[in-house]
Amino acid sequence: MIEPYLFFDGCCEEAIEYYVKHLGAEVEMMMRYKDCPDPLPPGMDSEDNADKVMHVTFRIGGSKVMASDGGCGIGDEKVHFAGFSLSLGLPTEEEAHRTFDILAKEGEVQMPLGKTFWSPCFGIVTDRFGLEWMISVVPAE
């Protein structure tokens, strides 16, 4: 089993709230840095990080996704999503268009929704958090 783990670099809670509201995500568990029972590494134990998300597990549809604020901007470079997309299969074109439009509202369309040889409706969009989504209609079996 492969489960994606996403690092939002300081905006994890905002992203999760967005996915709950717009994608129907369901949070299974969330832990903040201040709730960690073990001592945190130097630099991660600051007051600025106390309320940041250390770990969250949530579901979108039947899939589990995990996430964190990661290093909370500590270090020379921020974490960026690159080299992968999350693929979200939806049962109807109406749902695909609604979801795609929501993600594109403050994001960027990479490939507009359209008919392909494998799906009646497929498109690629990067959401406002920089996460790329492949939205498609999955024909009923």
Side-chain angles (χ1 to χ4, degrees):
M1 167 178 9
I2 295 175
E3 297 170 338
Y5 202 107
L6 310 172
F7 295 93
F8 284 96
D9 198 41
C11 64
C12 186
E13 185 168 17
E14 179 185 356
I16 300 308
E17 288 173 357
Y18 184 84
Y19 300 144
V20 166
K21 180 178 179 181
H22 296 294
L23 302 182
E26 297 177 15
V27 175
E28 292 184 344
M29 96 51 102
M30 184 182 292
M31 180 182 207
R32 299 182 186 285
Y33 283 97
K34 68 182 178 185
D35 300 324
C36 182
D38 295 330
L40 293 169
M44 302 216 41
D45 59 353
S46 74
E47 288 290 320
D48 293 339
N49 290 342
D51 288 320
K52 296 292 185 184
V53 177
M54 182 176 174
H55 176 79
V56 63
T57 301
F58 61 102
R59 289 193 172 276
I60 297 178
S63 299
K64 185 191 316 186
V65 181
M66 295 177 282
S68 171
D69 275 311
C72 301
I74 296 170
D76 295 334
E77 295 184 30
K78 289 188 173 192
V79 176
H80 297 283
F81 298 112
F84 73 95
S85 299
L86 294 184
S87 180
L88 181 58
L90 298 163
T92 67
E93 288 187 43
E94 181 181 325
E95 287 182 69
H97 279 278
R98 182 191 68 78
T99 302
F100 190 91
D101 291 346
I102 286 168
L103 294 171
K105 186 173 184 181
E106 296 177 59
E108 184 178 336
V109 174
Q110 307 302 319
M111 177 181 173
L113 282 174
K115 185 173 174 34
T116 64
F117 68 89
W118 68 87
S119 174
C121 189
F122 174 84
I124 303 173
V125 61
T126 300
D127 70 19
R128 71 188 222 188
F129 303 103
L131 188 56
E132 188 174 273
W133 296 84
M134 297 187 306
I135 306 297
S136 62
V137 172
V138 180
E141 294 180 21

